[in-house]
Amino acid sequence: MQNKIATLDALCARARILPVIVINDPADVLPFADAMAAGGLTALEITLRSAHGLDAVRLLRQERPELDVGVGTVLDVRMFDAAVEAGAQFIVTPGTTEEILQAGVAAPIPLLPGIATPSEIMQAYRLGYRRFKLFPANVYGGVDALKAFAGPFAELKFCPTGGVNPGNVKNYFQQPNLLCVGGSWMLPGDVVKAKDWTRVEQLCREALATLD
């Protein structure tokens, strides 16, 4: 697990923001990814919220090997295995089950399991996990949750996702137990639907600029 923790640490240090991406049109995959990469976001979480997610991962791994491509919204082991087979470099889940946590221990790539409570953290901690997704962050305390977790779970780090936006993202980055943040505020639906990739690039660049 130490190697997987180190992999997540390095990936998130490079990324700072992990964009949560839904692919609704297969033709969008490469221009979408290229626009985000040009804007500075080179680690992508392709969700399984649409039927095109796994095909998008396969295409990106083949055509854009320089990007870090993961799979999100993984809900069970069947989806987990399919993500690994598609070439995912990391997996993100919205929550945890014993079955998924065990799959993550056995998998060749790191899992960032979703948690919201101390009990969920402890369940995963027992199996060696030290990096987590806090989801939905805005519902379960956000920055205050990170501050509270820092006491009993001092060695752990978190990627809050859900409700992260330009108005609060700098507050998250002031927390020493932050891994990175996840979100899609730089990918507004109307801009993506219009295939305005220049605007996507600009919004990604602006999102990173807010952290400095």
Side-chain angles (χ1 to χ4, degrees):
M1 290 292 278
Q2 287 299 321
N3 287 341
K4 294 176 184 177
I5 293 169
T7 297
L8 286 173
D9 285 349
L11 185 152
C12 289
R14 291 192 302 270
R16 304 180 77 192
I17 298 173
L18 188 61
V20 179
I21 302 161
V22 180
I23 299 295
N24 291 312
D25 182 347
D28 291 349
V29 175
L30 293 181
F32 202 166
D34 289 344
M36 286 185 286
L41 299 184
T42 58
L44 314 177
E45 179 189 331
I46 307 295
T47 71
L48 299 186
R49 299 179 190 179
S50 80
H52 307 298
L54 292 176
D55 287 338
V57 172
R58 294 186 187 97
L59 180 63
L60 289 168
R61 295 291 290 126
Q62 178 177 338
E63 300 293 335
R64 300 294 186 270
E66 70 277 10
L67 301 180
D68 295 312
V69 181
V71 173
T73 321
V74 173
L75 305 180
D76 57 32
V77 171
R78 177 188 61 81
M79 296 169 75
F80 191 110
D81 291 342
V84 173
E85 184 179 359
Q89 292 164 281
F90 60 96
I91 289 177
V92 185
T93 61
T96 58
T97 65
E98 182 71 16
E99 187 179 38
I100 280 181
L101 292 174
Q102 293 286 0
V105 170
I109 60 174
L111 166 64
L112 190 66
I115 57 85
T117 68
S119 294
E120 290 170 327
I121 292 172
M122 291 172 66
Q123 180 187 17
Y125 185 95
R126 179 178 63 86
L127 296 175
Y129 290 91
R130 299 295 184 269
R131 303 293 183 261
F132 300 93
K133 170 181 175 175
L134 172 62
F135 180 79
N138 59 328
V139 175
Y140 288 100
V143 169
D144 288 339
L146 293 189
K147 291 178 179 178
F149 290 155
F153 306 117
E155 66 178 300
L156 310 187
K157 291 189 177 182
F158 302 87
C159 173
T161 305
V164 181
N165 58 61
N168 62 25
V169 67
K170 288 193 76 168
N171 292 334
Y172 279 109
F173 274 86
Q174 292 170 359
Q175 307 312 309
N177 57 350
L178 185 87
L179 184 61
C180 60
V181 299
S184 56
W185 76 90
M186 74 300 296
L187 307 172
D190 58 336
V191 173
V192 174
K193 187 175 182 180
K195 304 181 190 296
D196 187 348
W197 308 124
T198 299
R199 180 62 175 154
V200 168
E201 177 184 343
Q202 179 185 7
L203 290 170
C204 292
R205 199 180 305 278
E206 289 174 359
L208 284 171
T210 63
L211 308 182
D212 298 325

